[in-house]
Amino acid sequence: MIYTKLTNEAMKIAYRAHHGQVDKSGIPYIFHPLHLAEQMTDEYTTCAALLHDVVEDTDVTLEALSAVFPAEVVEAVALLTHRPGDDYLQYVAAIRENP
């Protein structure tokens, strides 16, 4: 994984936000975004991978993230956030269409 000041901040936010959460297997949830982040090849996508579920699953907001991260990271997190009531197929199509 890429370790920079920005990715370290993303790790801290993700860790705090997902603290106490577990996945369906009972494994601490933080391992999911960490696993994805390990596969990224640049700083911004690493941050987006680490943060991709914080808006969807915690009380962290896009506004709070925008105070710390560049617009490209926040836009990626927004795109990856599946909001209640959003059609899942449209959500996936929007992700697929965005480079």
Side-chain angles (χ1 to χ4, degrees):
M1 183 164 53
I2 297 167
Y3 292 93
T4 66
K5 183 177 178 183
L6 203 58
T7 60
N8 288 342
E9 188 61 30
M11 276 191 275
K12 291 178 202 174
I13 291 170
Y15 180 81
R16 285 191 300 267
H18 293 300
H19 183 74
Q21 293 179 341
V22 295
D23 67 13
K24 293 177 184 176
S25 299
I27 304 298
Y29 191 81
I30 191 62
F31 289 114
H32 167 65
L34 285 173
H35 175 70
L36 293 177
E38 289 175 331
Q39 300 171 55
M40 300 300 113
T41 59
D42 65 74
E43 182 180 46
Y44 286 5
T45 59
T46 300
C47 289
L50 288 164
L51 299 169
H52 80 276
D53 279 336
V54 296
V55 174
E56 184 174 330
D57 295 339
T58 75
D59 59 359
V60 174
T61 65
L62 291 171
E63 292 76 23
L65 294 178
S66 67
V68 179
F69 298 96
E72 295 89 342
V73 172
V74 178
E75 289 168 9
V77 172
L79 182 67
L80 294 168
T81 300
H82 183 229
R83 291 167 180 79
D86 286 354
D87 179 77
Y88 185 73
L89 293 178
Q90 289 177 345
Y91 160 73
V92 172
I95 292 171
R96 186 168 188 230
E97 291 172 9
N98 188 299

